[in-house]
Amino acid sequence: MRMELCELTIKQVQDGLRSKKFSIAELVSDCLKAIDKNKELNAYLEVYGEDALNEAKRLDGATSDFNELPPLWGIPFAVKDNIFIEGKRVSAASKILENYEASYDATAIARMKKTGAIFLGRTNMDEFAMGSSTENSAFKPTKNPHDPSCVPGGSSGGSAAAVAANMCISALGSDTGGSIRQPASFCGVVGLKPTYGMVSRSGLIAMASSLDQIGPLTKTAEDAKIVFDVIKGKDPLDSTTVESNPKSQIPNLKFKIGLPKEYFGQGLDSDVEKIVRDAIKKLQDLGHEIKEISLPISEYALAAYYIIMPAEVSANLARFDGIRYGLVTSDKRQETSLYDIYAKTRAEGFGDEVKRRIMLGTYTLSAGYYDAYYLKAQKVRRLIKEDFEKAFKEVDIIAGPTSPTPAFKFGERTDDPLKMYLADIYTVAVNLAGLPGLSMNAGWVYPEHGRGVEQEGKKLPVGIQFIAPWFQEDRVFNIAAQLEKIL
Ligand code: GLN
């Protein structure tokens, strides 16, 4: 069977273009066909069909030296709807920004444009990146390409679904507590959350600024590295960025892999556990050393995250007041006061989950509660970081499940926010500590045929997460590429 061009990886596109097997215009129109065919998955909020084709033709005409193509030359990307592309709408899947237009390129986008990337459209997400299923989008829910009755994960669910269903070659997402890795796990693709400060947040609509990072969703670990190498590095527009990988060290051939016992405890689905342990066993068979470790404070990570994140959310979202950006209340009566404009705009424009978090955040930051909640959570955050520092004295890398379950059904968790928050139990600590983490597919479950029994029929992917020390992204790329070869 002929492989469609949209099924290729970045690396394969690079090779194909170099040997002139196809044109960029052919590649882009193949992706656009896949988008059209998979319309009912709702991965995209907007597709830039004509613009993308025109850009493809322009690049085809501008290609002279086929041996020296810039890294993302002609690569079609999907972009999460909270990342600025100049002149395009960017709504964070919120009604309050529905018609807002980006006035500049995010630094990551600018760097990608410089090396020839093409943008196919903006992808659906949980409103303001708050959620684990993309059900919080103000516009529509995205469906999981492997089973449309299940969620794709979130909040970068549109980007993960777009990669999984070959509606792009690769995508950008953002990760504040797991929003790249968890949907990557639910959709069976690779997702990287870089070390805090490796990728500029300029042009990313802020959710929680001390946790947010932009990162790639791709088909392979090699592709994730290609994108990461383009978007990473110091940026004068984001003072938290640092120079590219100051001191990358890959251990000689064999890794010491730590398995935190807290990541294999109560609440972990037994099929997920089996798949992740089998993958780790395969790495052991390759000669890597496996060691059980402990991250004792991780038990408090979710609690600390759900205090620190909403606090930052409440501050960051204060700017959406009906005056400076986007939507303004439909109440246009003369006697409407300025305060009423703020209050009514926010009441009409924000969804329930966003409101919930703003209220939580303003509460924990208010006088009297600040010390009891916010300050305490910050102290826990420090202890979580120290947990990892200790662990990385013993091991080179940490491995475990990305999410405790495979993709769940629509509506299953929407009535119970706490249940929804549990989907991130293994991912949030990585953001609190600022570490790099990568999720990749480790195997499949077959829910319709008795869990874990391999048979024809619908199957759902299960992700494994690798966590490396600060700035050691190369380790996660390296181990993930090794695992890809033997799975
Ligand atoms: N699902 C988590 C939350 O709801 C993570 C979100 C994210 O990483 N943007 O906060």
Side-chain angles (χ1 to χ4, degrees), residues 371-398:
D371 291 357
Y373 294 110
Y374 185 71
L375 215 57
K376 199 163 214 174
Q378 290 291 21
K379 289 179 183 164
V380 173
R381 182 176 192 174
R382 162 53 59 99
L383 294 176
I384 288 170
K385 193 161 170 250
E386 285 174 5
D387 252 9
F388 281 111
E389 275 164 0
K390 268 187 229 138
F392 285 126
K393 288 204 178 100
E394 291 178 57
V395 295
D396 304 310
I397 200 160
I398 292 171

Side-chain angles (χ1 to χ4, degrees), residues 135-277:
E135 289 166 292
N136 292 339
S137 164
F139 305 114
K140 50 192 180 181
T142 296
K143 297 174 187 161
N144 191 311
H146 301 289
D147 179 348
S149 69
C150 290
V151 301
S155 63
S156 313
S159 284
V163 175
N166 298 307
M167 291 185 260
C168 61
I169 300 299
S170 166
L172 286 186
S174 69
D175 192 312
T176 304
S179 279
I180 290 176
R181 289 158 289 155
Q182 187 259 16
S185 168
F186 281 17
C187 290
V189 301
V190 173
L192 170 76
K193 182 262 166 199
T195 307
Y196 186 78
M198 278 310 294
V199 179
S200 170
R201 287 173 295 111
S202 174
L204 168 69
I205 295 178
M207 175 180 165
S209 307
S210 77
L211 302 159
D212 299 340
Q213 278 289 288
I214 293 176
L217 289 123
T218 56
K219 295 170 192 173
T220 62
E222 185 182 34
D223 279 8
K225 177 168 168 51
I226 294 172
V227 182
F228 173 66
D229 282 342
V230 170
I231 62 177
K232 71 182 183 186
K234 183 130 194 86
D235 175 18
L237 298 174
D238 175 355
S239 60
T240 62
T241 51
V242 293
E243 270 321 322
S244 316
N245 279 16
K247 40 187 188 309
S248 156
Q249 303 150 335
I250 299 191
N252 240 349
L253 303 168
K254 301 300 172 211
F255 286 76
K256 239 193 214 170
I257 304 175
L259 304 188
K261 63 174 195 279
E262 294 79 6
Y263 286 25
F264 290 89
Q266 208 197 354
L268 177 61
D269 176 289
S270 59
D271 290 331
V272 171
E273 171 161 10
K274 182 175 182 314
I275 287 167
V276 171
R277 284 202 190 272

Side-chain angles (χ1 to χ4, degrees), residues 80 129-132 154-155 174-180 207 305-306 309 357 421 424 431:
K80 188 175 181 180
M130 300 176 199
S132 309
S155 63
S174 69
D175 192 312
T176 304
S179 279
I180 290 176
M207 175 180 165
Y305 173 79
Y306 274 96
M309 172 274 296
R357 295 191 192 198
Y421 298 167
D424 298 301
N431 300 71

